[in-house]
Amino acid sequence: IIGVALKEPPRREAPSIDYLGATLLVATTTTLVLIFDRRTHQIIGANMKIALALLLVGCFAALIIHESKTKSPFVNLSLFRIRRFSFSVVSLLIIAMCYSLIGFLMPFYLQNILHFSPTHMGWILIANSVVIVLVAPIAGWLSDRMGSRLLCTEVFKLLVELIQVLKVPVHRCVADVRR
């Protein structure tokens, strides 16, 4: 009995790291960023935009082909067959883009359009982070109790209602653009 208890379990072979897949992912992402970067177009010329687009398509195709055939992929493509996972990734992408755009454009709007001081701008911009820090533990607790799907749906409905109730005033320069 002691011999059976002390017997070592069979060792599994450690999965190897997919360096080619990681390199293709970095190349695809870098090429995508270079396509949208104005300085890149100034340096290499606007005519090279087509070459960058072809490079992006080639890197992405190579990434998909390689990752679908490798034993230990860097990006597990089979996860995208799960509808909930795919929608979660797309919603995370949209949320990240919105946060990035707001984070980039808001200081210009506050300073150049509304003529706020840097201190006033700082207080406005830090408010979002403070709210996230205060609400995150409560949201985590509620998510554990209710589940994330119901919680996200209810919070989204609450946000839509708050936007309707608050009816945030429109600045005059935005109102002029609407006409």
Side-chain angles (χ1 to χ4, degrees):
I1 294 176
I2 294 174
V4 172
L6 294 177
K7 185 178 177 184
E8 289 186 29
R11 294 185 184 194
R12 283 196 226 164
E13 187 178 312
S16 61
I17 297 173
D18 182 18
Y19 291 109
L20 179 59
T23 305
L24 287 170
L25 181 64
V26 168
T28 303
T29 307
T30 304
T31 308
L32 182 63
V33 169
L34 290 175
I35 287 174
F36 290 114
D37 185 34
R38 284 187 179 178
R39 288 201 180 172
T40 303
H41 296 287
Q42 290 173 352
I43 294 170
I44 66 171
N47 297 336
M48 292 298 289
K49 194 174 189 179
I50 296 171
L52 281 174
L54 291 174
L55 181 64
L56 172 69
V57 169
C59 287
F60 186 69
L63 174 70
I64 297 298
I65 291 168
H66 174 73
E67 295 299 298
S68 63
K69 293 182 179 181
T70 189
K71 186 167 69 170
S72 177
F74 189 75
V75 179
N76 190 352
L77 298 176
S78 66
L79 289 173
F80 290 99
R81 292 186 188 123
I82 304 169
R83 188 182 306 171
R84 185 180 287 180
F85 178 80
S86 297
F87 281 118
S88 298
V89 169
V90 169
S91 67
L92 180 62
L93 177 67
I94 292 169
I95 290 169
M97 287 171 49
C98 291
Y99 272 130
S100 298
L101 286 172
I102 289 170
F104 178 74
L105 295 175
M106 187 62 74
F108 296 112
Y109 176 74
L110 293 175
Q111 189 171 23
N112 297 334
I113 305 297
L114 298 181
H115 305 291
F116 286 163
S117 70
T119 305
H120 194 177
M121 287 173 36
W123 283 111
I124 291 172
L125 294 174
I126 202 167
N128 189 32
S129 299
V130 170
V131 169
I132 288 173
V133 167
L134 294 176
V135 172
I138 299 166
W141 180 80
L142 285 172
S143 178
D144 290 342
R145 301 287 183 261
M146 300 169 59
S148 60
R149 181 182 286 184
L150 178 62
L151 180 63
C152 289
T153 305
E154 294 302 318
V155 169
F156 184 76
K157 288 194 298 191
L158 177 68
L159 287 175
V160 169
E161 291 172 9
L162 282 174
I163 289 172
Q164 291 298 318
V165 168
L166 292 177
K167 297 213 179 192
V168 179
V170 177
H171 191 266
R172 69 178 189 283
C173 71
V174 177
D176 291 341
V177 172
R178 285 184 179 173
R179 292 182 196 162

PDB file of all heavy atoms in Angstrom, residues 99-114:
ATOM      1  N   TYR A  99     -13.456  53.826 -24.195  1.00  0.00           N
ATOM      2  CA  TYR A  99     -12.649  54.401 -23.118  1.00  0.00           C
ATOM      3  C   TYR A  99     -11.413  55.101 -23.663  1.00  0.00           C
ATOM      4  O   TYR A  99     -11.035  56.183 -23.208  1.00  0.00           O
ATOM      5  CB  TYR A  99     -12.226  53.331 -22.112  1.00  0.00           C
ATOM      6  CG  TYR A  99     -13.219  53.098 -21.011  1.00  0.00           C
ATOM      7  CD1 TYR A  99     -13.629  51.816 -20.697  1.00  0.00           C
ATOM      8  CD2 TYR A  99     -13.746  54.148 -20.288  1.00  0.00           C
ATOM      9  CE1 TYR A  99     -14.547  51.581 -19.682  1.00  0.00           C
ATOM     10  CE2 TYR A  99     -14.666  53.935 -19.278  1.00  0.00           C
ATOM     11  CZ  TYR A  99     -15.059  52.655 -18.983  1.00  0.00           C
ATOM     12  OH  TYR A  99     -15.959  52.433 -17.985  1.00  0.00           O
ATOM     13  N   SER A 100     -10.782  54.505 -24.661  1.00  0.00           N
ATOM     14  CA  SER A 100      -9.585  55.121 -25.235  1.00  0.00           C
ATOM     15  C   SER A 100      -9.925  56.432 -25.933  1.00  0.00           C
ATOM     16  O   SER A 100      -9.209  57.425 -25.787  1.00  0.00           O
ATOM     17  CB  SER A 100      -8.921  54.170 -26.225  1.00  0.00           C
ATOM     18  OG  SER A 100      -8.501  53.009 -25.572  1.00  0.00           O
ATOM     19  N   LEU A 101     -11.005  56.441 -26.702  1.00  0.00           N
ATOM     20  CA  LEU A 101     -11.401  57.673 -27.379  1.00  0.00           C
ATOM     21  C   LEU A 101     -11.786  58.765 -26.394  1.00  0.00           C
ATOM     22  O   LEU A 101     -11.409  59.930 -26.561  1.00  0.00           O
ATOM     23  CB  LEU A 101     -12.558  57.390 -28.344  1.00  0.00           C
ATOM     24  CG  LEU A 101     -12.185  56.652 -29.614  1.00  0.00           C
ATOM     25  CD1 LEU A 101     -13.414  56.257 -30.399  1.00  0.00           C
ATOM     26  CD2 LEU A 101     -11.255  57.500 -30.454  1.00  0.00           C
ATOM     27  N   ILE A 102     -12.533  58.389 -25.370  1.00  0.00           N
ATOM     28  CA  ILE A 102     -12.911  59.384 -24.361  1.00  0.00           C
ATOM     29  C   ILE A 102     -11.673  59.892 -23.635  1.00  0.00           C
ATOM     30  O   ILE A 102     -11.511  61.094 -23.432  1.00  0.00           O
ATOM     31  CB  ILE A 102     -13.940  58.796 -23.374  1.00  0.00           C
ATOM     32  CG1 ILE A 102     -15.285  58.620 -24.074  1.00  0.00           C
ATOM     33  CG2 ILE A 102     -14.087  59.685 -22.142  1.00  0.00           C
ATOM     34  CD1 ILE A 102     -16.296  57.845 -23.278  1.00  0.00           C
ATOM     35  N   GLY A 103     -10.795  58.983 -23.262  1.00  0.00           N
ATOM     36  CA  GLY A 103      -9.576  59.387 -22.567  1.00  0.00           C
ATOM     37  C   GLY A 103      -8.681  60.271 -23.406  1.00  0.00           C
ATOM     38  O   GLY A 103      -7.969  61.138 -22.896  1.00  0.00           O
ATOM     39  N   PHE A 104      -8.702  60.070 -24.726  1.00  0.00           N
ATOM     40  CA  PHE A 104      -7.871  60.882 -25.605  1.00  0.00           C
ATOM     41  C   PHE A 104      -8.536  62.221 -25.934  1.00  0.00           C
ATOM     42  O   PHE A 104      -7.885  63.272 -25.923  1.00  0.00           O
ATOM     43  CB  PHE A 104      -7.582  60.114 -26.894  1.00  0.00           C
ATOM     44  CG  PHE A 104      -6.762  60.894 -27.876  1.00  0.00           C
ATOM     45  CD1 PHE A 104      -5.413  61.096 -27.655  1.00  0.00           C
ATOM     46  CD2 PHE A 104      -7.346  61.434 -29.009  1.00  0.00           C
ATOM     47  CE1 PHE A 104      -4.646  61.825 -28.546  1.00  0.00           C
ATOM     48  CE2 PHE A 104      -6.594  62.161 -29.908  1.00  0.00           C
ATOM     49  CZ  PHE A 104      -5.240  62.357 -29.676  1.00  0.00           C
ATOM     50  N   LEU A 105      -9.833  62.216 -26.238  1.00  0.00           N
ATOM     51  CA  LEU A 105     -10.508  63.428 -26.699  1.00  0.00           C
ATOM     52  C   LEU A 105     -10.995  64.341 -25.577  1.00  0.00           C
ATOM     53  O   LEU A 105     -11.089  65.560 -25.763  1.00  0.00           O
ATOM     54  CB  LEU A 105     -11.690  63.051 -27.594  1.00  0.00           C
ATOM     55  CG  LEU A 105     -11.327  62.366 -28.907  1.00  0.00           C
ATOM     56  CD1 LEU A 105     -12.579  61.936 -29.640  1.00  0.00           C
ATOM     57  CD2 LEU A 105     -10.484  63.280 -29.772  1.00  0.00           C
ATOM     58  N   MET A 106     -11.330  63.782 -24.433  1.00  0.00           N
ATOM     59  CA  MET A 106     -11.919  64.585 -23.359  1.00  0.00           C
ATOM     60  C   MET A 106     -11.031  65.746 -22.900  1.00  0.00           C
ATOM     61  O   MET A 106     -11.549  66.857 -22.720  1.00  0.00           O
ATOM     62  CB  MET A 106     -12.289  63.687 -22.174  1.00  0.00           C
ATOM     63  CG  MET A 106     -13.052  64.415 -21.082  1.00  0.00           C
ATOM     64  SD  MET A 106     -14.639  65.071 -21.622  1.00  0.00           S
ATOM     65  CE  MET A 106     -15.586  63.592 -21.712  1.00  0.00           C
ATOM     66  N   PRO A 107      -9.730  65.559 -22.697  1.00  0.00           N
ATOM     67  CA  PRO A 107      -8.921  66.714 -22.275  1.00  0.00           C
ATOM     68  C   PRO A 107      -8.947  67.868 -23.288  1.00  0.00           C
ATOM     69  O   PRO A 107      -9.007  69.036 -22.893  1.00  0.00           O
ATOM     70  CB  PRO A 107      -7.504  66.134 -22.142  1.00  0.00           C
ATOM     71  CG  PRO A 107      -7.705  64.690 -21.924  1.00  0.00           C
ATOM     72  CD  PRO A 107      -8.939  64.322 -22.670  1.00  0.00           C
ATOM     73  N   PHE A 108      -8.918  67.541 -24.577  1.00  0.00           N
ATOM     74  CA  PHE A 108      -8.981  68.591 -25.590  1.00  0.00           C
ATOM     75  C   PHE A 108     -10.319  69.316 -25.536  1.00  0.00           C
ATOM     76  O   PHE A 108     -10.385  70.542 -25.650  1.00  0.00           O
ATOM     77  CB  PHE A 108      -8.765  68.013 -26.992  1.00  0.00           C
ATOM     78  CG  PHE A 108      -7.411  67.422 -27.187  1.00  0.00           C
ATOM     79  CD1 PHE A 108      -7.265  66.055 -27.349  1.00  0.00           C
ATOM     80  CD2 PHE A 108      -6.280  68.222 -27.199  1.00  0.00           C
ATOM     81  CE1 PHE A 108      -6.009  65.496 -27.531  1.00  0.00           C
ATOM     82  CE2 PHE A 108      -5.021  67.681 -27.379  1.00  0.00           C
ATOM     83  CZ  PHE A 108      -4.883  66.315 -27.540  1.00  0.00           C
ATOM     84  N   TYR A 109     -11.401  68.567 -25.366  1.00  0.00           N
ATOM     85  CA  TYR A 109     -12.730  69.166 -25.286  1.00  0.00           C
ATOM     86  C   TYR A 109     -12.844  70.061 -24.053  1.00  0.00           C
ATOM     87  O   TYR A 109     -13.322  71.182 -24.145  1.00  0.00           O
ATOM     88  CB  TYR A 109     -13.789  68.056 -25.258  1.00  0.00           C
ATOM     89  CG  TYR A 109     -15.196  68.557 -25.077  1.00  0.00           C
ATOM     90  CD1 TYR A 109     -15.868  69.179 -26.118  1.00  0.00           C
ATOM     91  CD2 TYR A 109     -15.861  68.400 -23.863  1.00  0.00           C
ATOM     92  CE1 TYR A 109     -17.160  69.641 -25.967  1.00  0.00           C
ATOM     93  CE2 TYR A 109     -17.147  68.865 -23.698  1.00  0.00           C
ATOM     94  CZ  TYR A 109     -17.788  69.485 -24.752  1.00  0.00           C
ATOM     95  OH  TYR A 109     -19.056  69.955 -24.595  1.00  0.00           O
ATOM     96  N   LEU A 110     -12.394  69.556 -22.922  1.00  0.00           N
ATOM     97  CA  LEU A 110     -12.513  70.338 -21.687  1.00  0.00           C
ATOM     98  C   LEU A 110     -11.659  71.605 -21.729  1.00  0.00           C
ATOM     99  O   LEU A 110     -12.085  72.661 -21.251  1.00  0.00           O
ATOM    100  CB  LEU A 110     -12.123  69.478 -20.480  1.00  0.00           C
ATOM    101  CG  LEU A 110     -13.047  68.318 -20.146  1.00  0.00           C
ATOM    102  CD1 LEU A 110     -12.468  67.487 -19.013  1.00  0.00           C
ATOM    103  CD2 LEU A 110     -14.433  68.810 -19.799  1.00  0.00           C
ATOM    104  N   GLN A 111     -10.466  71.509 -22.292  1.00  0.00           N
ATOM    105  CA  GLN A 111      -9.567  72.662 -22.283  1.00  0.00           C
ATOM    106  C   GLN A 111      -9.855  73.632 -23.424  1.00  0.00           C
ATOM    107  O   GLN A 111      -9.940  74.842 -23.206  1.00  0.00           O
ATOM    108  CB  GLN A 111      -8.125  72.201 -22.351  1.00  0.00           C
ATOM    109  CG  GLN A 111      -7.137  73.329 -22.137  1.00  0.00           C
ATOM    110  CD  GLN A 111      -5.724  72.817 -21.992  1.00  0.00           C
ATOM    111  OE1 GLN A 111      -5.411  71.725 -22.446  1.00  0.00           O
ATOM    112  NE2 GLN A 111      -4.877  73.604 -21.373  1.00  0.00           N
ATOM    113  N   ASN A 112     -10.036  73.140 -24.635  1.00  0.00           N
ATOM    114  CA  ASN A 112     -10.166  74.026 -25.788  1.00  0.00           C
ATOM    115  C   ASN A 112     -11.589  74.506 -26.050  1.00  0.00           C
ATOM    116  O   ASN A 112     -11.780  75.613 -26.538  1.00  0.00           O
ATOM    117  CB  ASN A 112      -9.620  73.343 -27.046  1.00  0.00           C
ATOM    118  CG  ASN A 112      -8.147  73.044 -26.925  1.00  0.00           C
ATOM    119  OD1 ASN A 112      -7.421  73.703 -26.189  1.00  0.00           O
ATOM    120  ND2 ASN A 112      -7.702  72.021 -27.639  1.00  0.00           N
ATOM    121  N   ILE A 113     -12.572  73.683 -25.745  1.00  0.00           N
ATOM    122  CA  ILE A 113     -13.962  74.050 -26.028  1.00  0.00           C
ATOM    123  C   ILE A 113     -14.624  74.679 -24.804  1.00  0.00           C
ATOM    124  O   ILE A 113     -15.227  75.740 -24.888  1.00  0.00           O
ATOM    125  CB  ILE A 113     -14.772  72.821 -26.506  1.00  0.00           C
ATOM    126  CG1 ILE A 113     -14.116  72.154 -27.706  1.00  0.00           C
ATOM    127  CG2 ILE A 113     -16.218  73.201 -26.797  1.00  0.00           C
ATOM    128  CD1 ILE A 113     -14.030  72.996 -28.948  1.00  0.00           C
ATOM    129  N   LEU A 114     -14.489  74.011 -23.663  1.00  0.00           N
ATOM    130  CA  LEU A 114     -15.134  74.511 -22.444  1.00  0.00           C
ATOM    131  C   LEU A 114     -14.246  75.468 -21.645  1.00  0.00           C
ATOM    132  O   LEU A 114     -14.710  76.060 -20.681  1.00  0.00           O
ATOM    133  CB  LEU A 114     -15.565  73.333 -21.561  1.00  0.00           C
ATOM    134  CG  LEU A 114     -16.593  72.382 -22.189  1.00  0.00           C
ATOM    135  CD1 LEU A 114     -16.943  71.276 -21.216  1.00  0.00           C
ATOM    136  CD2 LEU A 114     -17.840  73.125 -22.629  1.00  0.00           C
TER     137      LEU A 114
END
